Amino acid sequence: MSTTPPHTRPGGRSTRVRAAVHRAVGELVAESPSEDLTMPTIAARAGVHPTTVYRRWVSLADLLAEVATSRFSGDIVVPDTGTLQGDLERWTADVAVDLADPDVLALMRATVGAGPAGGSACSADRQAQLAAILERERSRGGEPPDVEQAADALLGPLYYRAIFAGRPADPDWARGLVEALLR
Amino acid sequence: MSTTPPHTRPGGRSTRVRAAVHRAVGELVAESPSEDLTMPTIAARAGVHPTTVYRRWVSLADLLAEVATSRFSGDIVVPDTGTLQGDLERWTADVAVDLADPDVLALMRATVGAGPAGGSACSADRQAQLAAILERERSRGGEPPDVEQAADALLGPLYYRAIFAGRPADPDWARGLVEALLR
């Protein structure tokens, strides 16, 4: 029994620390200026010793990438409406709703700001969902666009509006992105 | 003569402080992890007292937005090739080259990470250049797409690839974005 390493034992201290630290990151990112988001402030908010945080995560960038990956992993269900257009419209609308959540935007901004790997932590799972939608269309006998083309056409404008242009993505506009891609 | 406020006197101490602080931000952003980018480390690198920095810029977010706005303002010349397609292809290629510069990406990431206003500091001037290109086409008697549509179709994929997907934007791909927009 004692052969299970402590940092993977479910329900163990290490699992609780991870949950507390992830929660602390989410709270601090949502409420504080970026200057206050440091390993020590995160440790204090999580109620753990700073060395515990430094021992477990190499850097703030590493920790934020883990929190973002965990947050965006499987948060949106891949739809199955029967058609590629229907699937993409449903999925694009769900991503747009997610990107209208101020807490999601704050986590994305902080993760991007923490280092070069942050961006992909905010997009990898979305690209995987898109790949699954396109793969299903292929299994229906269709010829969908490739995943990079679809990501450029859908995630490009969605993320640009949310992070750079500060404009909300309305549902009609999001549907228009899908139409333009499939045209 | 003494009525000119010190912070706008050209060549004065205040102008030198601003230049030194902007340069320090550029250097630190390019070489350090985000955790080391704070008002005190910027002041130290610029060789000025931290209170000088705090007095002049409300926050790190404010300072980074100013540096980004200044960096991206007029960095790309609006082309005049005689056709809308030519203008957009030239401009898109220039933006793609800029987004392949690691120092530019580091500044964009840090500015986005510093707060909600950071994104628009990295995109406002690009949108203004795009508006100028579209306006010129209108003055030629053409009927160009509106600026938001063009920004979604061009800046969306360009910024998404650079910041989120970590994929380089090759020239053929960038030309394809313009074709898709004008189709």
Side-chain angles (χ1 to χ4, degrees):
Chain A
M1 281 173 80
S2 62
T3 55
T4 310
H7 64 280
T8 59
R9 186 156 30 108
R13 179 180 134 71
S14 189
T15 306
R16 288 196 307 274
V17 165
R18 180 177 179 276
V21 168
H22 276 224
R23 195 166 48 241
V25 167
E27 289 173 9
L28 287 170
V29 150
E31 62 193 51
S32 312
S34 67
E35 297 147 275
D36 300 339
L37 188 73
T38 64
M39 299 288 251
T41 58
I42 292 166
R45 175 63 68 99
V48 302
H49 199 275
T51 33
T52 305
V53 177
Y54 283 113
R55 203 183 304 130
R56 183 140 176 178
W57 291 278
V58 178
S59 62
L60 182 62
D62 180 52
L63 170 55
L64 282 170
E66 185 188 287
V67 173
T69 300
S70 157
R71 167 65 184 76
F72 297 123
S73 163
D75 64 330
I76 287 176
V77 176
V78 174
D80 185 6
T81 65
T83 68
L84 177 60
Q85 178 157 352
D87 290 353
L88 289 175
E89 283 182 358
R90 178 80 58 85
W91 178 81
T92 301
D94 287 347
V95 174
V97 167
D98 204 46
L99 292 174
D101 180 338
D103 291 354
V104 166
L105 293 176
L107 177 59
M108 286 177 67
R109 280 193 301 261
T111 306
V112 163
S120 86
C122 299
S123 68
D125 201 66
R126 299 285 161 79
Q127 292 227 173
Q129 293 162 1
L130 204 41
I133 291 172
L134 300 169
E135 186 47 42
R136 179 178 288 138
E137 175 65 5
R138 230 167 266 119
S139 74
R140 288 185 191 119
E143 288 180 10
D146 69 41
V147 66
E148 303 213 334
Q149 194 189 346
D152 291 334
L154 303 179
L155 292 174
L158 283 161
Y159 278 44
Y160 177 77
R161 283 205 170 193
I163 298 294
F164 291 100
R167 265 176 293 145
D170 67 88
D172 279 351
W173 171 79
R175 251 191 309 276
L177 296 177
V178 173
E179 267 175 44
L181 170 66
L182 298 182
R183 199 150 50 206
Chain B
M1 280 171 85
S2 62
T3 56
T4 311
H7 64 278
T8 59
R9 186 156 30 110
R13 178 179 136 72
S14 188
T15 306
R16 289 195 307 275
V17 165
R18 180 176 179 275
V21 168
H22 276 225
R23 194 165 49 242
V25 167
E27 289 172 9
L28 288 171
V29 150
E31 65 192 49
S32 312
S34 68
E35 294 147 275
D36 299 341
L37 188 72
T38 63
M39 299 289 252
T41 58
I42 292 165
R45 176 63 69 100
V48 303
H49 199 275
T51 34
T52 306
V53 177
Y54 282 114
R55 204 182 303 127
R56 183 140 175 177
W57 291 279
V58 178
S59 63
L60 181 63
D62 180 51
L63 170 54
L64 282 169
E66 186 189 284
V67 172
T69 300
S70 157
R71 166 66 185 75
F72 297 123
S73 165
D75 64 332
I76 287 176
V77 177
V78 175
D80 185 6
T81 65
T83 67
L84 176 61
Q85 179 158 350
D87 290 354
L88 289 176
E89 283 182 358
R90 177 81 57 87
W91 178 81
T92 301
D94 287 347
V95 174
V97 167
D98 203 46
L99 291 175
D101 180 337
D103 291 354
V104 167
L105 293 176
L107 177 60
M108 284 176 69
R109 280 193 300 262
T111 307
V112 163
S120 85
C122 298
S123 68
D125 201 65
R126 298 286 161 77
Q127 293 226 173
Q129 293 162 3
L130 203 42
I133 291 172
L134 300 169
E135 186 47 41
R136 177 178 290 139
E137 174 66 5
R138 230 167 267 118
S139 74
R140 289 185 191 120
E143 288 180 10
D146 70 41
V147 67
E148 303 213 333
Q149 195 189 346
D152 291 334
L154 303 179
L155 292 174
L158 283 161
Y159 278 44
Y160 177 76
R161 283 205 170 194
I163 298 293
F164 292 100
R167 265 177 292 147
D170 66 88
D172 280 350
W173 171 79
R175 252 192 307 276
L177 295 178
V178 173
E179 267 174 44
L181 170 66
L182 298 181
R183 199 149 53 205

